[in-house]
Amino acid sequence: MKWLFLTAKPDFVPDKITLLPDNIANQIAAGEVIQRPGSAVKELLENAVDAGATEIRLIISDAGKALVQVIDNGSGMSETDARMCFERHATSKIRNIEDLFHIRTMGFRGEALASIAAVAQVELKTKRAEDEAGTFIEVDNSVVRKQEPVAAPTGTSFAMKNLFFNVPARRNFLKSNAAETRHIVDEFTRVALAFPEILFTLTANNQQLFHLEAGSLKQRIVQLLGSNYNAKLVTVKEETDYMNIYGFVGKPETAKKTRGDQYFFVNNRFIRSGYLNHAVMNAYQEMIPSDSYPMYVLFIDLDPAVVDVNVHPTKQEIKFEDEKIIYAFVQSAVRHALAQFSVTPTLDFDLDASIQQLPSIQQPFTDDKKNAAAAGSIFRGFTQKNQAHFIEKSESGELKHWNEMYARSESGAGSREPETTGPANHSLLTTHHSPLAADAEITQLLNTYITLPSNKGFLLLHQQSAHERVIYEQLCAASKDKPVVTQRSMFPSTMELSPADAAVMEEIMDDLKYLGYTIEPFGKNTYVIQGTPADVEAGNDKHIIDILLEQYKHFSPDVKFSRREKLVRSLARQQSIKAGTRLTEREMRQLVTDLFACATPNVTPDGNPTYLEFKQEQLERMFGR
Ligand code: ADP
Ligand code: MG
């Protein structure tokens, strides 16, 4: 009433602030942690893991709306702890803010159980190994209804009943049973993947959906994600002082049209990161169509001090002290793994008919994006010799791609487990240096393409692209350990450059020397080409250097290639045999041999295919046979 307000003395105005009762405060706080039955599943499973359980059973009914129960054989709780655990900020996992930076447990906020108890009816039964009797406690709406000693096995059983029974508005927000069950299975899957050494079961409405025996990560992946991944997983494993990565990625042929089956864990915590996902996608770029998604289950372990998991209680977001390092590391580790084990041709007609149209294969990605990260000094660090990530070509490694291409069908079932790859099967191979069978028919078409049989059909190589790849890898290898052999020119040619080009020349001269071109200044913007690579046909070196300068200048500045990388790419392009050049049979055989000795034979440095495989089976289908 306004008039009262106007005439009343100031001390008649009532104060407005009141303290919320605990149960209301808890209900509000619970909104952050428990949004749906799946959130409770995550929290309860994580608590069981933190308690050191080796067996964890999840039981749900009515999509978790009626019941979410987790039974574990972990440490259990004392009577006092059993009572305490429902208090907000009650945790045994940290004691001060410092601990947060060393956290290795899944939980640490001490909010989950308080939240669950605020929005559901809870029954806790728990016993420690050293105690005679266990404790039974019933709580709902944040109020303890019952507490008594009970006979119980060691461990904890935590049952959450009738979620949101006291918050109807939130109960109404729950989705269909199918959708909520999906969330539960997702959470279950994430925890179960992270802890393959723990036995997990999931029972829904009295039906057992999962029974996951303790075992290896690989077994766990196959149990959870499907046996079609069996024998199609490539091991990723790299260790450095800063961080380790471990896990599996699917062979390119297992890539799917829909996202899913993609899991990142940081210190065993499932996280979502578009950024790291991008790093993995980049590693696959040349191997799968751009609109498909590879499977991966990757674990990154690093000092908790450089990760901030405290961003949001449930959002599964994470902040790294240095994201770029992690990106480069993930990308190079996956790339390394794929290069070691995967030699699947880019073009696999079995994948999808639409891929036959090729555009996505011909321009599978934008170079700039791909390389911005890859060319950073960190990435290069990973690919140097003596680093864990350097891709070493071994004696047998040189023939590896040949074996894959030609020996695979002879090994019977087809796909071989990388781990079980035995000594190379050389039955179709002749000598070390010329693994192409002497009687294999090799033909040049249109002075540009080379055809040759493969064990499933035939390959169609693009000679220029193939040669570009070969030179690229040779130059990379050469520029890494020892310079390319130079041959002194008998008639050194002189180049007069514009001041701008002279500046570029000064910049790249040392690197050029490494790549086989000895160039010396000869006064005012003039240079003399004293030597050229021994195995590159002499004659047009002036032209090559000209183009090199041109291309070097025009490499987009946001492509952070090293100077050497730019030169190597440019040289590979120029020194390659051009389309339209007639080749002798010997040259063709050499090219094919060299190509399949490459670490990544199937694409040019720019990502275009170097060859296509046509499988007989496919050809037959195309002819309606
Ligand atoms: P947090 O996990 O962040 O510590 P919670 O609310 O999830 O917080 O749990 C509170 C405390 O209750 C934990 O710190 C732990 O000491 C105890 N606790 C919870 N669940 C279990 C369990 N399954 N077994 C043993 N102790 C548990
Ligand atoms: Mg917890």
Side-chain angles (χ1 to χ4, degrees), residues 379-408:
F379 176 78
R380 273 181 282 115
F382 289 139
T383 53
Q384 299 295 311
K385 216 177 160 121
N386 300 326
Q387 301 266 334
H389 312 276
F390 182 75
I391 299 166
E392 189 93 59
K393 254 199 278 172
S394 63
E395 279 280 301
S396 60
E398 293 199 2
L399 294 174
K400 199 165 102 230
H401 302 299
W402 276 100
N403 297 335
E404 291 281 343
M405 190 66 73
Y406 288 96
R408 191 184 275 165

PDB file of all heavy atoms in Angstrom, residues 379-408:
ATOM      1  N   PHE A 379      55.547 -29.413 -33.914  1.00  0.00           N
ATOM      2  CA  PHE A 379      55.281 -30.579 -34.730  1.00  0.00           C
ATOM      3  C   PHE A 379      56.573 -31.085 -35.340  1.00  0.00           C
ATOM      4  O   PHE A 379      56.848 -32.265 -35.344  1.00  0.00           O
ATOM      5  CB  PHE A 379      54.282 -30.254 -35.830  1.00  0.00           C
ATOM      6  CG  PHE A 379      54.063 -31.408 -36.759  1.00  0.00           C
ATOM      7  CD1 PHE A 379      53.241 -32.451 -36.370  1.00  0.00           C
ATOM      8  CD2 PHE A 379      54.707 -31.463 -37.978  1.00  0.00           C
ATOM      9  CE1 PHE A 379      53.061 -33.529 -37.204  1.00  0.00           C
ATOM     10  CE2 PHE A 379      54.525 -32.546 -38.811  1.00  0.00           C
ATOM     11  CZ  PHE A 379      53.695 -33.579 -38.428  1.00  0.00           C
ATOM     12  N   ARG A 380      57.344 -30.145 -35.811  1.00  0.00           N
ATOM     13  CA  ARG A 380      58.594 -30.581 -36.425  1.00  0.00           C
ATOM     14  C   ARG A 380      59.466 -31.270 -35.399  1.00  0.00           C
ATOM     15  O   ARG A 380      60.138 -32.233 -35.677  1.00  0.00           O
ATOM     16  CB  ARG A 380      59.311 -29.405 -37.088  1.00  0.00           C
ATOM     17  CG  ARG A 380      58.827 -29.220 -38.512  1.00  0.00           C
ATOM     18  CD  ARG A 380      59.530 -28.092 -39.204  1.00  0.00           C
ATOM     19  NE  ARG A 380      58.989 -26.824 -38.795  1.00  0.00           N
ATOM     20  CZ  ARG A 380      59.661 -25.908 -38.125  1.00  0.00           C
ATOM     21  NH1 ARG A 380      60.917 -26.099 -37.797  1.00  0.00           N
ATOM     22  NH2 ARG A 380      59.086 -24.792 -37.785  1.00  0.00           N
ATOM     23  N   GLY A 381      59.410 -30.747 -34.198  1.00  0.00           N
ATOM     24  CA  GLY A 381      60.154 -31.381 -33.113  1.00  0.00           C
ATOM     25  C   GLY A 381      59.785 -32.837 -32.985  1.00  0.00           C
ATOM     26  O   GLY A 381      60.629 -33.701 -32.835  1.00  0.00           O
ATOM     27  N   PHE A 382      58.494 -33.107 -33.116  1.00  0.00           N
ATOM     28  CA  PHE A 382      58.036 -34.479 -32.973  1.00  0.00           C
ATOM     29  C   PHE A 382      58.506 -35.361 -34.112  1.00  0.00           C
ATOM     30  O   PHE A 382      58.540 -36.563 -34.002  1.00  0.00           O
ATOM     31  CB  PHE A 382      56.516 -34.547 -32.948  1.00  0.00           C
ATOM     32  CG  PHE A 382      55.915 -34.003 -31.690  1.00  0.00           C
ATOM     33  CD1 PHE A 382      54.783 -33.228 -31.740  1.00  0.00           C
ATOM     34  CD2 PHE A 382      56.484 -34.274 -30.455  1.00  0.00           C
ATOM     35  CE1 PHE A 382      54.210 -32.726 -30.594  1.00  0.00           C
ATOM     36  CE2 PHE A 382      55.922 -33.776 -29.304  1.00  0.00           C
ATOM     37  CZ  PHE A 382      54.788 -32.987 -29.367  1.00  0.00           C
ATOM     38  N   THR A 383      58.775 -34.739 -35.245  1.00  0.00           N
ATOM     39  CA  THR A 383      59.084 -35.576 -36.391  1.00  0.00           C
ATOM     40  C   THR A 383      60.586 -35.669 -36.653  1.00  0.00           C
ATOM     41  O   THR A 383      61.011 -36.249 -37.614  1.00  0.00           O
ATOM     42  CB  THR A 383      58.384 -35.037 -37.653  1.00  0.00           C
ATOM     43  OG1 THR A 383      58.731 -33.663 -37.785  1.00  0.00           O
ATOM     44  CG2 THR A 383      56.887 -35.174 -37.543  1.00  0.00           C
ATOM     45  N   GLN A 384      61.363 -35.053 -35.785  1.00  0.00           N
ATOM     46  CA  GLN A 384      62.808 -35.173 -35.942  1.00  0.00           C
ATOM     47  C   GLN A 384      63.266 -36.567 -35.558  1.00  0.00           C
ATOM     48  O   GLN A 384      62.656 -37.233 -34.749  1.00  0.00           O
ATOM     49  CB  GLN A 384      63.530 -34.184 -35.020  1.00  0.00           C
ATOM     50  CG  GLN A 384      63.212 -32.742 -35.281  1.00  0.00           C
ATOM     51  CD  GLN A 384      63.684 -32.286 -36.636  1.00  0.00           C
ATOM     52  OE1 GLN A 384      64.830 -32.515 -37.000  1.00  0.00           O
ATOM     53  NE2 GLN A 384      62.804 -31.651 -37.393  1.00  0.00           N
ATOM     54  N   LYS A 385      64.371 -36.922 -36.118  1.00  0.00           N
ATOM     55  CA  LYS A 385      64.958 -38.179 -35.716  1.00  0.00           C
ATOM     56  C   LYS A 385      65.302 -38.133 -34.230  1.00  0.00           C
ATOM     57  O   LYS A 385      65.510 -37.069 -33.667  1.00  0.00           O
ATOM     58  CB  LYS A 385      66.249 -38.395 -36.509  1.00  0.00           C
ATOM     59  CG  LYS A 385      66.454 -39.852 -36.844  1.00  0.00           C
ATOM     60  CD  LYS A 385      67.691 -40.018 -37.670  1.00  0.00           C
ATOM     61  CE  LYS A 385      68.111 -41.464 -37.539  1.00  0.00           C
ATOM     62  NZ  LYS A 385      68.161 -42.161 -38.768  1.00  0.00           N
ATOM     63  N   ASN A 386      65.335 -39.269 -33.632  1.00  0.00           N
ATOM     64  CA  ASN A 386      65.609 -39.407 -32.197  1.00  0.00           C
ATOM     65  C   ASN A 386      64.458 -38.956 -31.316  1.00  0.00           C
ATOM     66  O   ASN A 386      64.540 -38.963 -30.109  1.00  0.00           O
ATOM     67  CB  ASN A 386      66.867 -38.654 -31.758  1.00  0.00           C
ATOM     68  CG  ASN A 386      68.072 -39.179 -32.486  1.00  0.00           C
ATOM     69  OD1 ASN A 386      68.141 -40.362 -32.784  1.00  0.00           O
ATOM     70  ND2 ASN A 386      68.997 -38.299 -32.804  1.00  0.00           N
ATOM     71  N   GLN A 387      63.378 -38.511 -31.925  1.00  0.00           N
ATOM     72  CA  GLN A 387      62.197 -38.220 -31.140  1.00  0.00           C
ATOM     73  C   GLN A 387      61.280 -39.420 -31.324  1.00  0.00           C
ATOM     74  O   GLN A 387      61.339 -40.115 -32.324  1.00  0.00           O
ATOM     75  CB  GLN A 387      61.478 -36.978 -31.668  1.00  0.00           C
ATOM     76  CG  GLN A 387      62.343 -35.748 -31.652  1.00  0.00           C
ATOM     77  CD  GLN A 387      62.133 -34.948 -30.393  1.00  0.00           C
ATOM     78  OE1 GLN A 387      61.079 -35.022 -29.801  1.00  0.00           O
ATOM     79  NE2 GLN A 387      63.131 -34.208 -29.994  1.00  0.00           N
ATOM     80  N   ALA A 388      60.423 -39.599 -30.361  1.00  0.00           N
ATOM     81  CA  ALA A 388      59.552 -40.765 -30.422  1.00  0.00           C
ATOM     82  C   ALA A 388      58.726 -40.786 -31.692  1.00  0.00           C
ATOM     83  O   ALA A 388      58.308 -41.834 -32.140  1.00  0.00           O
ATOM     84  CB  ALA A 388      58.632 -40.771 -29.217  1.00  0.00           C
ATOM     85  N   HIS A 389      58.536 -39.635 -32.306  1.00  0.00           N
ATOM     86  CA  HIS A 389      57.556 -39.562 -33.380  1.00  0.00           C
ATOM     87  C   HIS A 389      58.144 -39.677 -34.765  1.00  0.00           C
ATOM     88  O   HIS A 389      57.444 -39.689 -35.742  1.00  0.00           O
ATOM     89  CB  HIS A 389      56.794 -38.257 -33.267  1.00  0.00           C
ATOM     90  CG  HIS A 389      56.349 -38.070 -31.883  1.00  0.00           C
ATOM     91  ND1 HIS A 389      55.204 -38.634 -31.418  1.00  0.00           N
ATOM     92  CD2 HIS A 389      56.979 -37.497 -30.843  1.00  0.00           C
ATOM     93  CE1 HIS A 389      55.130 -38.383 -30.122  1.00  0.00           C
ATOM     94  NE2 HIS A 389      56.176 -37.698 -29.755  1.00  0.00           N
ATOM     95  N   PHE A 390      59.447 -39.716 -34.797  1.00  0.00           N
ATOM     96  CA  PHE A 390      60.056 -39.779 -36.106  1.00  0.00           C
ATOM     97  C   PHE A 390      59.675 -41.090 -36.785  1.00  0.00           C
ATOM     98  O   PHE A 390      59.723 -42.155 -36.190  1.00  0.00           O
ATOM     99  CB  PHE A 390      61.573 -39.687 -35.961  1.00  0.00           C
ATOM    100  CG  PHE A 390      62.281 -39.697 -37.275  1.00  0.00           C
ATOM    101  CD1 PHE A 390      62.266 -38.575 -38.078  1.00  0.00           C
ATOM    102  CD2 PHE A 390      62.925 -40.834 -37.718  1.00  0.00           C
ATOM    103  CE1 PHE A 390      62.905 -38.586 -39.299  1.00  0.00           C
ATOM    104  CE2 PHE A 390      63.575 -40.845 -38.937  1.00  0.00           C
ATOM    105  CZ  PHE A 390      63.565 -39.717 -39.730  1.00  0.00           C
ATOM    106  N   ILE A 391      59.260 -41.003 -38.023  1.00  0.00           N
ATOM    107  CA  ILE A 391      58.855 -42.209 -38.728  1.00  0.00           C
ATOM    108  C   ILE A 391      60.060 -42.801 -39.437  1.00  0.00           C
ATOM    109  O   ILE A 391      60.513 -42.302 -40.457  1.00  0.00           O
ATOM    110  CB  ILE A 391      57.737 -41.910 -39.736  1.00  0.00           C
ATOM    111  CG1 ILE A 391      56.533 -41.376 -38.978  1.00  0.00           C
ATOM    112  CG2 ILE A 391      57.376 -43.156 -40.529  1.00  0.00           C
ATOM    113  CD1 ILE A 391      55.500 -40.730 -39.852  1.00  0.00           C
ATOM    114  N   GLU A 392      60.601 -43.797 -38.833  1.00  0.00           N
ATOM    115  CA  GLU A 392      61.829 -44.392 -39.343  1.00  0.00           C
ATOM    116  C   GLU A 392      61.491 -45.395 -40.432  1.00  0.00           C
ATOM    117  O   GLU A 392      60.567 -46.174 -40.296  1.00  0.00           O
ATOM    118  CB  GLU A 392      62.526 -45.106 -38.200  1.00  0.00           C
ATOM    119  CG  GLU A 392      63.901 -45.586 -38.524  1.00  0.00           C
ATOM    120  CD  GLU A 392      64.946 -44.554 -38.126  1.00  0.00           C
ATOM    121  OE1 GLU A 392      65.019 -44.205 -36.956  1.00  0.00           O
ATOM    122  OE2 GLU A 392      65.674 -44.118 -39.019  1.00  0.00           O
ATOM    123  N   LYS A 393      62.255 -45.344 -41.499  1.00  0.00           N
ATOM    124  CA  LYS A 393      62.044 -46.345 -42.536  1.00  0.00           C
ATOM    125  C   LYS A 393      63.008 -47.489 -42.276  1.00  0.00           C
ATOM    126  O   LYS A 393      64.218 -47.330 -42.353  1.00  0.00           O
ATOM    127  CB  LYS A 393      62.329 -45.749 -43.906  1.00  0.00           C
ATOM    128  CG  LYS A 393      61.049 -45.476 -44.690  1.00  0.00           C
ATOM    129  CD  LYS A 393      61.323 -45.344 -46.153  1.00  0.00           C
ATOM    130  CE  LYS A 393      61.816 -43.953 -46.505  1.00  0.00           C
ATOM    131  NZ  LYS A 393      62.260 -43.829 -47.873  1.00  0.00           N
ATOM    132  N   SER A 394      62.484 -48.631 -41.965  1.00  0.00           N
ATOM    133  CA  SER A 394      63.365 -49.753 -41.697  1.00  0.00           C
ATOM    134  C   SER A 394      63.579 -50.513 -42.994  1.00  0.00           C
ATOM    135  O   SER A 394      62.921 -50.280 -43.981  1.00  0.00           O
ATOM    136  CB  SER A 394      62.724 -50.679 -40.683  1.00  0.00           C
ATOM    137  OG  SER A 394      61.533 -51.197 -41.230  1.00  0.00           O
ATOM    138  N   GLU A 395      64.501 -51.443 -42.947  1.00  0.00           N
ATOM    139  CA  GLU A 395      64.751 -52.291 -44.113  1.00  0.00           C
ATOM    140  C   GLU A 395      63.457 -52.883 -44.629  1.00  0.00           C
ATOM    141  O   GLU A 395      63.099 -52.770 -45.781  1.00  0.00           O
ATOM    142  CB  GLU A 395      65.698 -53.431 -43.722  1.00  0.00           C
ATOM    143  CG  GLU A 395      67.160 -53.035 -43.707  1.00  0.00           C
ATOM    144  CD  GLU A 395      67.757 -53.013 -45.095  1.00  0.00           C
ATOM    145  OE1 GLU A 395      67.723 -54.061 -45.746  1.00  0.00           O
ATOM    146  OE2 GLU A 395      68.236 -51.953 -45.530  1.00  0.00           O
ATOM    147  N   SER A 396      62.727 -53.502 -43.706  1.00  0.00           N
ATOM    148  CA  SER A 396      61.500 -54.143 -44.144  1.00  0.00           C
ATOM    149  C   SER A 396      60.417 -53.093 -44.358  1.00  0.00           C
ATOM    150  O   SER A 396      59.526 -53.263 -45.160  1.00  0.00           O
ATOM    151  CB  SER A 396      61.044 -55.171 -43.118  1.00  0.00           C
ATOM    152  OG  SER A 396      60.814 -54.512 -41.892  1.00  0.00           O
ATOM    153  N   GLY A 397      60.560 -51.982 -43.645  1.00  0.00           N
ATOM    154  CA  GLY A 397      59.574 -50.916 -43.778  1.00  0.00           C
ATOM    155  C   GLY A 397      59.493 -50.401 -45.200  1.00  0.00           C
ATOM    156  O   GLY A 397      58.447 -50.020 -45.684  1.00  0.00           O
ATOM    157  N   GLU A 398      60.635 -50.408 -45.869  1.00  0.00           N
ATOM    158  CA  GLU A 398      60.628 -49.919 -47.237  1.00  0.00           C
ATOM    159  C   GLU A 398      59.727 -50.756 -48.117  1.00  0.00           C
ATOM    160  O   GLU A 398      59.220 -50.310 -49.130  1.00  0.00           O
ATOM    161  CB  GLU A 398      62.042 -49.954 -47.814  1.00  0.00           C
ATOM    162  CG  GLU A 398      62.939 -48.959 -47.118  1.00  0.00           C
ATOM    163  CD  GLU A 398      64.163 -48.627 -47.922  1.00  0.00           C
ATOM    164  OE1 GLU A 398      64.285 -49.149 -49.036  1.00  0.00           O
ATOM    165  OE2 GLU A 398      64.967 -47.844 -47.430  1.00  0.00           O
ATOM    166  N   LEU A 399      59.566 -51.985 -47.705  1.00  0.00           N
ATOM    167  CA  LEU A 399      58.770 -52.869 -48.534  1.00  0.00           C
ATOM    168  C   LEU A 399      57.366 -53.031 -47.989  1.00  0.00           C
ATOM    169  O   LEU A 399      56.554 -53.728 -48.553  1.00  0.00           O
ATOM    170  CB  LEU A 399      59.439 -54.249 -48.590  1.00  0.00           C
ATOM    171  CG  LEU A 399      60.774 -54.263 -49.306  1.00  0.00           C
ATOM    172  CD1 LEU A 399      61.403 -55.631 -49.180  1.00  0.00           C
ATOM    173  CD2 LEU A 399      60.604 -53.891 -50.772  1.00  0.00           C
ATOM    174  N   LYS A 400      57.127 -52.352 -46.893  1.00  0.00           N
ATOM    175  CA  LYS A 400      55.878 -52.600 -46.200  1.00  0.00           C
ATOM    176  C   LYS A 400      54.673 -52.378 -47.095  1.00  0.00           C
ATOM    177  O   LYS A 400      53.749 -53.172 -47.150  1.00  0.00           O
ATOM    178  CB  LYS A 400      55.781 -51.722 -44.966  1.00  0.00           C
ATOM    179  CG  LYS A 400      54.771 -52.246 -44.006  1.00  0.00           C
ATOM    180  CD  LYS A 400      54.919 -51.610 -42.678  1.00  0.00           C
ATOM    181  CE  LYS A 400      53.883 -50.594 -42.536  1.00  0.00           C
ATOM    182  NZ  LYS A 400      54.041 -49.350 -42.162  1.00  0.00           N
ATOM    183  N   HIS A 401      54.690 -51.252 -47.813  1.00  0.00           N
ATOM    184  CA  HIS A 401      53.523 -50.936 -48.623  1.00  0.00           C
ATOM    185  C   HIS A 401      53.327 -51.947 -49.729  1.00  0.00           C
ATOM    186  O   HIS A 401      52.227 -52.251 -50.110  1.00  0.00           O
ATOM    187  CB  HIS A 401      53.656 -49.532 -49.181  1.00  0.00           C
ATOM    188  CG  HIS A 401      53.813 -48.526 -48.094  1.00  0.00           C
ATOM    189  ND1 HIS A 401      52.845 -48.339 -47.150  1.00  0.00           N
ATOM    190  CD2 HIS A 401      54.839 -47.711 -47.765  1.00  0.00           C
ATOM    191  CE1 HIS A 401      53.264 -47.421 -46.288  1.00  0.00           C
ATOM    192  NE2 HIS A 401      54.465 -47.037 -46.637  1.00  0.00           N
ATOM    193  N   TRP A 402      54.438 -52.464 -50.169  1.00  0.00           N
ATOM    194  CA  TRP A 402      54.340 -53.498 -51.183  1.00  0.00           C
ATOM    195  C   TRP A 402      53.669 -54.732 -50.618  1.00  0.00           C
ATOM    196  O   TRP A 402      52.806 -55.329 -51.228  1.00  0.00           O
ATOM    197  CB  TRP A 402      55.724 -53.871 -51.701  1.00  0.00           C
ATOM    198  CG  TRP A 402      56.116 -52.923 -52.747  1.00  0.00           C
ATOM    199  CD1 TRP A 402      56.933 -51.859 -52.621  1.00  0.00           C
ATOM    200  CD2 TRP A 402      55.626 -52.900 -54.079  1.00  0.00           C
ATOM    201  NE1 TRP A 402      56.994 -51.172 -53.785  1.00  0.00           N
ATOM    202  CE2 TRP A 402      56.210 -51.791 -54.709  1.00  0.00           C
ATOM    203  CE3 TRP A 402      54.754 -53.718 -54.804  1.00  0.00           C
ATOM    204  CZ2 TRP A 402      55.955 -51.468 -56.031  1.00  0.00           C
ATOM    205  CZ3 TRP A 402      54.501 -53.403 -56.125  1.00  0.00           C
ATOM    206  CH2 TRP A 402      55.092 -52.291 -56.725  1.00  0.00           C
ATOM    207  N   ASN A 403      54.115 -55.054 -49.438  1.00  0.00           N
ATOM    208  CA  ASN A 403      53.532 -56.244 -48.836  1.00  0.00           C
ATOM    209  C   ASN A 403      52.041 -56.079 -48.668  1.00  0.00           C
ATOM    210  O   ASN A 403      51.261 -56.974 -48.939  1.00  0.00           O
ATOM    211  CB  ASN A 403      54.169 -56.501 -47.478  1.00  0.00           C
ATOM    212  CG  ASN A 403      55.639 -56.794 -47.618  1.00  0.00           C
ATOM    213  OD1 ASN A 403      56.060 -57.257 -48.677  1.00  0.00           O
ATOM    214  ND2 ASN A 403      56.392 -56.504 -46.592  1.00  0.00           N
ATOM    215  N   GLU A 404      51.660 -54.900 -48.211  1.00  0.00           N
ATOM    216  CA  GLU A 404      50.244 -54.661 -47.974  1.00  0.00           C
ATOM    217  C   GLU A 404      49.458 -54.786 -49.276  1.00  0.00           C
ATOM    218  O   GLU A 404      48.391 -55.348 -49.330  1.00  0.00           O
ATOM    219  CB  GLU A 404      50.036 -53.260 -47.387  1.00  0.00           C
ATOM    220  CG  GLU A 404      50.564 -53.124 -45.976  1.00  0.00           C
ATOM    221  CD  GLU A 404      49.624 -53.729 -44.944  1.00  0.00           C
ATOM    222  OE1 GLU A 404      48.442 -53.949 -45.275  1.00  0.00           O
ATOM    223  OE2 GLU A 404      50.089 -53.979 -43.823  1.00  0.00           O
ATOM    224  N   MET A 405      50.052 -54.232 -50.300  1.00  0.00           N
ATOM    225  CA  MET A 405      49.324 -54.201 -51.563  1.00  0.00           C
ATOM    226  C   MET A 405      49.289 -55.564 -52.242  1.00  0.00           C
ATOM    227  O   MET A 405      48.327 -55.922 -52.869  1.00  0.00           O
ATOM    228  CB  MET A 405      50.014 -53.182 -52.488  1.00  0.00           C
ATOM    229  CG  MET A 405      49.243 -52.876 -53.728  1.00  0.00           C
ATOM    230  SD  MET A 405      47.713 -52.041 -53.343  1.00  0.00           S
ATOM    231  CE  MET A 405      48.341 -50.431 -52.887  1.00  0.00           C
ATOM    232  N   TYR A 406      50.381 -56.292 -52.118  1.00  0.00           N
ATOM    233  CA  TYR A 406      50.483 -57.515 -52.904  1.00  0.00           C
ATOM    234  C   TYR A 406      50.420 -58.802 -52.109  1.00  0.00           C
ATOM    235  O   TYR A 406      50.146 -59.845 -52.639  1.00  0.00           O
ATOM    236  CB  TYR A 406      51.776 -57.499 -53.730  1.00  0.00           C
ATOM    237  CG  TYR A 406      51.668 -56.520 -54.849  1.00  0.00           C
ATOM    238  CD1 TYR A 406      52.157 -55.239 -54.724  1.00  0.00           C
ATOM    239  CD2 TYR A 406      50.989 -56.881 -56.012  1.00  0.00           C
ATOM    240  CE1 TYR A 406      52.007 -54.316 -55.746  1.00  0.00           C
ATOM    241  CE2 TYR A 406      50.833 -55.959 -57.033  1.00  0.00           C
ATOM    242  CZ  TYR A 406      51.350 -54.686 -56.899  1.00  0.00           C
ATOM    243  OH  TYR A 406      51.177 -53.807 -57.898  1.00  0.00           O
ATOM    244  N   ALA A 407      50.739 -58.712 -50.864  1.00  0.00           N
ATOM    245  CA  ALA A 407      50.818 -59.967 -50.120  1.00  0.00           C
ATOM    246  C   ALA A 407      49.591 -60.204 -49.258  1.00  0.00           C
ATOM    247  O   ALA A 407      49.410 -61.252 -48.705  1.00  0.00           O
ATOM    248  CB  ALA A 407      52.065 -59.974 -49.245  1.00  0.00           C
ATOM    249  N   ARG A 408      48.750 -59.200 -49.161  1.00  0.00           N
ATOM    250  CA  ARG A 408      47.655 -59.285 -48.218  1.00  0.00           C
ATOM    251  C   ARG A 408      46.748 -60.476 -48.474  1.00  0.00           C
ATOM    252  O   ARG A 408      46.480 -61.272 -47.595  1.00  0.00           O
ATOM    253  CB  ARG A 408      46.842 -57.995 -48.268  1.00  0.00           C
ATOM    254  CG  ARG A 408      45.847 -57.907 -47.146  1.00  0.00           C
ATOM    255  CD  ARG A 408      45.008 -56.687 -47.301  1.00  0.00           C
ATOM    256  NE  ARG A 408      45.658 -55.522 -46.723  1.00  0.00           N
ATOM    257  CZ  ARG A 408      45.261 -54.282 -46.988  1.00  0.00           C
ATOM    258  NH1 ARG A 408      44.269 -54.064 -47.810  1.00  0.00           N
ATOM    259  NH2 ARG A 408      45.864 -53.280 -46.430  1.00  0.00           N
TER     260      ARG A 408
END
